[in-house]
Amino acid sequence: MGRRIRWLGVVMIICFALVVVQLGNIQFRRASALANSQFNPQVAVKKFDNNRGTIFLSDGTVLAQSVKSTTGPYHYMREYPAATGQLYSGITGYDSIFFGTTGIEYEYNQYLESHPQAPQNLSQVIFNKPPSEPDNVMLTIDPVLQQAAYDALTTLPPGPDKDGAVVVLNPTTGAVLAMVSNPTFDPAPFASPDVTTERGYDYGESIPDPEGFSHLRPLATQERFPPGSTFKVVDSTAVYNLKPSLENFSFPPAVSVKFPDGLAIHNDGNTPCGGTMIVMLPASCDPGYAALGVQLGVPILTEQAQKFGFSISDTKDQYVPTLDLPNVIPSTFSNLPVGSQALLGQSALGQYNDAATPLGNALVAAGIADGGVIMTPHLMEQIRDSQGNIVATYHPTPMLTAASQSAAATVTDLMQGVASHGTAAGIFPAAWDVAVKTGTAQVPGKVEQTDDWMIGFMPAKGTPQLAIAVVVPYQTQDLTGAVVAGPIVKKVFQAYLSESAGQP
């Protein structure tokens, strides 16, 4: 009998020890996982709450908010006002019961969803903890510039179905002042409590449009295009910044340049061009810049492209963090030619292995505008709690040093020449003091089409206020960056000047 009692005691002790171990496992090791598990009743209740913070602009314009629900199981439903939905959907993204979150809704989800608030006084610290509430996110976007960019882009022939993107930055702070992508989408159906509605809408919007782009994939940050002659800004900067021995490089005027491998690069329109960069950049001389690219060589061009934020590898671990949005991809300058001077010449012209996002090309313009320093672009300006107290404020932070101040100043002069007497002559009034570069890139595999670009900033002298990149892909071969993208840049600059002057 005594032996049985001892064994029973041992078993009970072991059982008690296992209970203690399991308690420790639940209380400490698995506490976080259990607290956030979808099977946790508190989490389930929170899901049905769906009370999220407001996303708005500094002028009070509401882009997304939660309103009390009168139907369905959810206490609150996400609402995207019709007046701002499609205009800002590439930025705000959506909050979907079935598909989750994208855009700003995803990036700042930890603030937008209800969460414990910090105590504001001693009483709340000791006795009454403040209730869980969401915070509100204010964005840097200027609604006047956003609307101007959208209107200018979507009124291009053949109308609202024309694809393209516009990105406008404040070069000295990195604030994103406008970011428009077309095609766009209406985020409202993603806030439907009916899963069938959400799934059907997602399926429809995921189908590529006539030009092959998805409505749900913003062109501004998630698509790349050959930058064409806008890459000559990178070439020119490489000379003044990294290889000053080529400052006086001069190409004898000619229609084309022929390389040892037998391939030749011809100037647009088969017109002769040449001279130093002071002449060649405004005229966008293709054979001259191809020859200059060969003189710079792969290492120098690669280094300068990296300084502007181009990724040399297309693997995610090589990406340079750029913007507070998910799924932002970098511009790339990869698979560099080895042994072929003609292919290297094409790279110097923004073709062959070059691919730029609109955001990435806007950073090139911003880097020159800001004296060689590229500020980290950002969309969040402030985060405030439900009482209006500031939770977080973005502080401008340098991201890259693209060039020396003197190199940037010299390239600015060249870009001013583009506006005054080069490929963009006649587009901008001289009093606007703009610096720009056009680009007309052949679409890979489609010799009859071009991707048309313009990048630039204003004012060229003094403190720059705007840097911009515009791309309109898949244009007919007889169109150019100056003809297609130039008027869009002009309308955005005009909107800024009118707004600054207090005009409606």
Side-chain angles (χ1 to χ4, degrees):
M1 178 66 74
R3 185 179 176 207
R4 292 180 179 180
I5 292 175
R6 285 195 298 272
W7 275 111
L8 178 62
V10 169
V11 170
M12 293 182 64
I13 291 173
I14 292 174
C15 291
F16 181 76
L18 290 174
V19 170
V20 171
V21 170
Q22 179 64 358
L23 284 174
N25 179 47
I26 293 174
Q27 290 291 327
F28 299 101
R29 182 172 174 271
R30 301 189 59 207
S32 178
L34 292 171
N36 295 287
S37 170
Q38 60 177 323
F39 302 108
N40 186 329
Q42 291 185 344
V43 172
V45 169
K46 186 177 180 181
K47 175 184 176 182
F48 284 102
D49 176 23
N50 200 32
N51 183 22
R52 295 173 64 81
T54 299
I55 302 173
F56 64 103
L57 305 180
S58 58
D59 69 344
T61 300
V62 173
L63 307 184
Q65 62 184 348
S66 289
V67 296
K68 286 191 174 182
S69 176
T70 57
T71 60
Y74 297 96
H75 303 154
Y76 288 85
M77 293 303 301
R78 203 61 168 159
E79 182 180 82
Y80 300 94
T84 59
Q86 293 196 64
L87 181 58
Y88 292 94
S89 59
I91 299 171
T92 60
Y94 55 77
D95 174 60
S96 163
I97 295 169
F98 185 79
F99 292 101
T101 57
T102 64
I104 290 294
E105 294 273 28
Y106 172 88
E107 195 73 19
Y108 293 100
N109 184 63
Q110 62 176 318
Y111 296 99
L112 290 168
E113 66 179 7
S114 292
H115 57 277
Q117 298 291 307
Q120 300 297 316
N121 51 57
L122 185 60
S123 175
Q124 289 185 341
V125 172
I126 299 176
F127 302 107
N128 300 310
K129 291 183 178 180
S132 291
E133 291 182 329
D135 295 326
N136 303 315
V137 177
M138 181 171 70
L139 303 184
T140 60
I141 297 292
D142 182 324
V144 173
L145 300 185
Q146 182 80 0
Q147 189 69 59
Y150 180 81
D151 291 344
L153 178 62
T154 56
T155 53
L156 283 173
D161 291 330
K162 186 69 205 80
D163 295 339
V166 182
V167 176
V168 185
L169 306 173
N170 182 325
T172 62
T173 67
V176 180
L177 303 178
M179 192 166 70
V180 171
S181 298
N182 202 47
T184 184
F185 68 96
D186 180 6
F190 282 110
S192 171
D194 179 36
V195 171
T196 302
T197 299
E198 289 192 20
R199 294 183 66 176
Y201 183 68
D202 175 81
Y203 175 77
E205 294 299 272
S206 297
I207 298 174
D209 74 352
E211 294 188 1
F213 298 107
S214 168
H215 296 76
L216 303 177
R217 183 179 169 92
L219 267 71
T221 58
Q222 296 185 35
E223 296 288 353
R224 289 186 285 237
F225 309 91
S229 291
T230 62
F231 196 80
K232 291 171 184 172
V233 172
V234 179
D235 302 332
S236 303
T237 305
V239 171
Y240 297 110
N241 189 49
L242 300 176
K243 201 169 183 179
S245 61
L246 291 176
E247 286 182 10
N248 296 318
F249 173 86
S250 182
F251 179 74
V255 172
S256 63
V257 58
K258 190 172 184 178
F259 295 100
D261 52 15
L263 298 176
I265 291 178
H266 301 269
N267 197 40
D268 183 50
N270 287 319
T271 56
C273 65
T276 64
M277 283 185 292
I278 296 174
V279 177
M280 289 199 302
L281 189 75
S284 201
C285 180
D286 285 345
Y289 264 89
L292 176 61
V294 171
Q295 292 297 310
L296 284 166
V298 171
I300 292 293
L301 280 176
T302 299
E303 182 179 353
Q304 188 59 65
Q306 286 181 300
K307 286 180 177 293
F308 274 113
F310 283 72
S311 175
I312 306 306
S313 171
D314 199 20
T315 57
K316 290 186 177 181
D317 59 345
Q318 297 293 321
Y319 287 7
V320 177
T322 50
L323 185 66
D324 47 345
L325 280 181
N327 302 317
V328 174
I329 67 173
S331 299
T332 57
F333 188 68
S334 56
N335 302 318
L336 299 175
V338 177
S340 173
Q341 291 187 7
L343 293 180
L344 179 56
Q346 290 182 21
S347 296
L349 302 181
Q351 300 275 179
Y352 180 60
N353 62 318
D354 303 5
T357 65
L359 172 62
N361 236 356
L363 293 175
V364 172
I368 297 298
D370 195 34
V373 177
I374 298 178
M375 302 299 288
T376 304
H378 62 98
L379 283 158
M380 184 273 284
E381 183 171 326
Q382 278 189 346
I383 297 176
R384 293 177 176 268
D385 64 20
S386 60
Q387 306 303 311
N389 301 306
I390 295 177
V391 175
T393 298
Y394 183 84
H395 299 287
T397 306
M399 183 176 75
L400 295 167
T401 299
S404 66
Q405 190 170 7
S406 62
T410 304
V411 174
T412 295
D413 292 339
L414 299 182
M415 294 174 68
Q416 283 185 285
V418 176
S420 63
H421 58 273
T423 54
I427 297 178
F428 307 98
W432 286 14
D433 188 26
V434 303
V436 298
K437 183 66 192 81
T438 56
T440 309
Q442 293 180 348
V443 178
K446 298 181 180 180
V447 295
E448 299 300 323
Q449 292 184 333
T450 57
D451 294 330
D452 295 345
W453 287 89
M454 180 175 281
I455 65 173
F457 54 93
M458 71 174 297
K461 302 300 181 184
T463 303
Q465 301 299 314
L466 302 179
I468 189 170
V470 173
V471 65
V472 183
Y474 302 158
Q475 294 293 282
T476 58
Q477 194 174 27
D478 59 338
L479 295 176
T480 66
V483 172
V484 177
I488 299 175
V489 174
K490 182 178 182 180
K491 288 180 181 179
V492 173
F493 283 175
Q494 178 66 72
Y496 165 75
L497 293 170
S498 298
E499 183 181 28
S500 299
Q503 299 175 6

